[in-house]
Amino acid sequence: MREVRALMIGDVVGEAGMKALFAGLGELVRRLGADIVVVNGENAAGGFGITKDETDKLFGLGVHVVTSGNHVWEKKGAAELLDAEPRLLRPANYPAGAPGRGMALVQAGGAPWAVINLQGRAGLYAIDCPFKCADALLERVKAEAPASIVLVDCHAESNEEKEALGLYLDGRISGFVGTHTHVQTADERILPAGTGYLTDMGMTGPDDSVIGVKTEICLRRNLSQMPIKMETAEGPASIHGVLFTIDASSKACLSVDRVLA
């Protein structure tokens, strides 16, 4: 049995998150023996959105695919960047005609991979159904790259929605992670039909913060209920993510390990 390992990293927040990756990702990949690295980069540019600069830096660090979510549209030039870079994904279930793509087929660690990016609808935008979109993309994988090991990043507010989608895809994909809440959950497990699962990977960003934002601003927002502009916190940061160990032949997940570095 040949094992492959997929390292997926939670939402990179601003300069602090990028610095944490520059300082620690290489050693983390070596220590964990990761064959593929997938990073959610939707907040990499100052805490909201991503630009070509952050995208190029992430790929320069050895990241294979960058996923995103609802903030990917924040920066000027986002549409052009998404159209131009096939390894930078936006959620696949945005309506037809949206810039970019929601799935990447890549080779890494001597294995073929399909990385799918989806977005939930509960508490977010009323975009297309992520369940039906996932069905369609898996049919594409079956037709275009049937040997692929499939990983899913579901960017969603609702834990219920993420868990339901993970179970809906159980046995059809190898690894399912949630992003968006910036708080790592402790429910890592292998689902009944063999899919590795974690509701949310957490964030790669500043430790002294409220989900990556300056604490004093979040306190003022909550105490005053005023729409005070959020600013990304600075200082020491941590990397949060998950490592899936997968049987390359059966594509079943063998272990799920939360990552904190």
Side-chain angles (χ1 to χ4, degrees), residues 189-205:
R189 63 193 190 274
I190 298 174
L191 299 177
T195 294
Y197 176 88
L198 181 67
T199 295
D200 202 288
M201 294 192 288
M203 72 171 182
T204 294

Side-chain angles (χ1 to χ4, degrees), residues 25 45 107 130 142 156-157 182 184 196 228 242:
L25 183 60
Q107 290 280 333
K142 192 181 299 184
E157 186 77 41
H182 292 199
Q184 190 180 69
I228 301 166
V242 65

Side-chain angles (χ1 to χ4, degrees), residues 210 214-225 228:
V210 176
K214 290 180 178 179
T215 300
E216 61 272 20
I217 290 177
C218 287
L219 293 178
R220 286 166 56 205
R221 283 171 63 94
N222 279 274
L223 288 167
S224 69
Q225 290 302 297
I228 301 166

